[in-house]
């Protein structure tokens, strides 16, 4: 099988497409012939050898994939069945989706939903799945479309663009924050009613600012998240899932203790199985057909390393799909 293999040489991570024997796959209950994978922010960090994502080498990266069951020792999965996978440490500490085949635990797989196929599932991918978990967190915090505008930061990335499309489809008025003027048309097409420059959120904010947002989905962290919290309205909910702008959070307790603001963390990797299925069902129901046409760049396995670098340099928009076969 062909696979993107990460190895280490003198402390540097080297990414090469290699031919590997099938018996080199790790143990697992189900072997999957992969049709599509994607490049997520975490994949880009792993391939570039940044962020200490990979600790054991050689490693096949790829934190999500979709394909067909080649063989299974678990009664829940039959040969030929379409499946998808996100998270569980696959592509980090267990060989992942940037390969023609993967062998994984049956518990990690989600049967393909009706209305989706492998390509569509990977257009959504970990990024879109995370966006849905963020939306669910806002809903569980009691936020409704009547409450006011919802802000999405890092809006033209994978998580952000799916969050914009989802919120718009669910009836929310969405304001997008993007660092690139070139993405504004794209964000309006996805359903943003307004696009604000990242620079408006990058200055150190006062502990409390004018109340503007009923809720927010933040993929960026750092000063941007601090500004968002300071501008969130009384009883608002902020779902924080990312660190594209940094891991610090230079804020104060003021938004929490004076405005009842809720900061909800989001992790997609270890999401329990029942919530995973619910999130995928909601994605399948909510995303409009146009989303699958708007938000995608397609590349081959050989182009994955180059795409990873571009993603980290903020030169990609939306989801980057890897066609495996
Ligand atoms: P992308 O690279 O596709 O998107 C990130 C976006 O953030 C960019 O498109 C850009 O948007 C913005 N951005 C980039 N650099 C900076 C910067 N220095 N300062 C502020 N904003 C910046 O990544 P993903 O959408 O795949 O992931 C987004 C974040 O969410 C990542 O940090 C990722 O690790 C995290 N994540 C977390 C998950 C979880 O389970 N918690 C799961 C999936 C992702 P623009 O140009 O529009 O400003």
């Amino acid at each position: 099988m062909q696979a993107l293999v990460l190895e280490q040489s003198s402390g540097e991570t080297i990414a090469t497409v290699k031919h590997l024997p099938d018996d080199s796959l790790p143990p697992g209950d189900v072997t999957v012939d992969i049709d599509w994978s994607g490049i997520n922010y975490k994949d880009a960090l792993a391939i570039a050898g940044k962020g200490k994502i990979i600790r054991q080498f050689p490693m096949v990266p790829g934190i999500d994939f979709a394909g067909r069951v080649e063989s299974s020792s678990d009664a829940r999965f039959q040969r030929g069945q379409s499946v998808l996978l996100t998270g569980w440490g696959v592509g980090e500490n267990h060989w992942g989706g940037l390969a023609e085949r993967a062998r994984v635990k049956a518990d990690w797989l989600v049967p393909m939903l009706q209305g989706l196929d492998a390509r569509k599932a990977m257009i959504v991918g970990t990024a879109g799945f995370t966006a849905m978990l963020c939306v669910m967190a806002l809903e569980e915090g009691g936020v409704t479309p009547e409450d006011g505008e919802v802000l999405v930061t890092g809006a033209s990335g994978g998580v952000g663009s799916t969050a914009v499309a989802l919120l718009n489809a669910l009836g929310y008025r969405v304001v997008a924050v993007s660092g690139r003027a070139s993405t504004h048309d794209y964000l309006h097409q996805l359903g943003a009613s307004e696009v604000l420059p990242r620079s408006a959120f990058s200055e150190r904010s006062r502990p409390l600012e004018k109340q503007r947002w009923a809720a927010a989905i933040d993929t960026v962290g750092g000063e941007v998240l601090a500004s968002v919290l300071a501008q969130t309205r009384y009883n608002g909910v902020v779902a924080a899932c990312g660190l594209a702008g940094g891991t610090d959070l230079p804020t104060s307790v003021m938004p929490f203790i004076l405005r009842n603001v809720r900061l909800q963390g989001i992790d997609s990797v270890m999401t329990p199985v029942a919530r995973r299925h619910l999130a995928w069902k909601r994605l399948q129901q909510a995303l409009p057909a146009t989303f699958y046409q708007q938000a995608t760049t397609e590349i081959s396995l050989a182009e994955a390393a180059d795409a990873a670098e571009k993603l980290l340099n903020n030169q990609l928009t939306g989801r980057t799909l890897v066609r495996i076969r």
Side-chain angles (χ1 to χ4, degrees):
M1 65 165 197
Q2 295 274 105
L4 184 68
V5 181
L6 302 183
E7 289 163 304
Q8 271 217 318
S9 168
S10 320
E12 296 278 297
T13 299
I14 317 285
T16 330
V17 177
K18 288 194 167 177
H19 190 83
L20 299 177
D22 276 0
D23 61 11
S24 56
L25 283 171
D29 319 307
V30 186
T31 304
V32 179
D33 281 335
I34 298 172
D35 292 317
W36 292 94
S37 185
I39 305 289
N40 294 279
Y41 194 84
K42 199 184 259 181
D43 296 317
L45 289 174
I47 293 168
K50 295 187 174 150
K52 296 206 169 69
I53 306 292
I54 311 281
R55 292 171 192 273
Q56 306 148 240
F57 295 88
M59 179 58 62
V60 175
I63 63 168
D64 49 22
F65 64 76
R68 288 150 294 120
V69 172
E70 188 270 334
S71 61
S72 170
S73 60
D74 186 286
R76 286 170 291 175
F77 294 99
Q78 321 302 329
R79 184 178 162 83
Q81 184 177 349
S82 291
V83 289
L84 66 92
L85 180 147
T86 66
W88 298 116
V90 171
E92 297 181 60
N93 47 44
H94 184 100
W95 283 15
L98 289 169
E100 286 177 328
R101 266 192 187 161
R103 189 177 295 137
V104 296
K105 283 191 184 170
D107 290 345
W108 297 345
L109 289 168
V110 176
M112 188 63 68
L113 287 92
Q114 227 169 12
L116 286 185
D117 55 31
R119 187 171 180 281
K120 281 185 170 170
M122 281 303 102
I123 293 175
V124 177
T126 299
F129 174 63
T130 305
M132 188 72 238
L133 294 177
C134 291
V135 170
M136 285 160 64
L138 305 192
E139 292 172 343
E140 286 156 11
V143 179
T144 66
E146 291 68 45
D147 291 332
E149 293 176 319
V150 178
L151 193 72
V152 176
T153 66
S156 66
V159 178
S161 49
T162 318
V164 170
L166 270 176
L167 287 165
N168 176 57
L170 294 169
Y172 291 88
R173 194 178 143 84
V174 190
V175 177
V177 180
S178 178
R180 291 176 279 174
S182 59
T183 65
H184 289 201
D185 285 350
Y186 165 69
L187 290 167
H188 283 300
Q189 277 166 29
L190 285 177
S193 54
E194 196 181 341
V195 184
L196 300 175
R198 192 194 299 160
S199 55
F201 295 81
S202 304
E203 297 288 306
R204 177 141 303 207
S205 70
R206 294 193 303 272
L208 292 173
E209 294 185 358
K210 186 167 173 255
Q211 299 185 47
R212 292 195 65 184
W213 320 113
I217 293 179
D218 177 68
T219 71
V220 162
E223 303 280 358
V224 172
L225 176 55
S227 296
V228 171
L229 287 166
Q231 295 175 12
T232 299
R233 284 162 56 169
Y234 195 90
N235 245 359
V237 182
V238 178
C241 71
L243 43 65
T247 53
D248 288 353
L249 180 50
T251 187
S252 76
V253 296
M254 294 309 197
F256 311 116
I257 65 172
L258 293 181
R259 292 191 179 156
N260 219 48
V261 166
R262 181 190 297 196
L263 176 59
Q264 177 65 56
I266 301 295
D267 166 60
S268 65
V269 177
M270 302 307 288
T271 304
V273 171
R275 192 168 176 80
R276 219 168 252 274
H277 286 112
L278 174 63
W280 277 104
K281 192 164 161 221
R282 298 256 347 251
L283 281 159
Q284 188 272 322
Q285 289 168 341
L287 282 173
T290 48
F291 171 76
Y292 297 99
Q293 288 134 30
Q294 281 162 347
T296 316
T297 309
E298 243 180 69
I299 60 167
S300 67
L301 200 52
E303 294 167 308
D306 186 42
E309 200 180 311
K310 285 198 178 123
L311 189 135
L312 292 179
N313 290 333
N314 202 197
Q315 292 167 327
L316 295 178
T317 304
R319 287 280 293 158
T320 303
L321 278 195
V322 184
R323 178 199 283 275
I324 304 289
R325 318 170 175 263

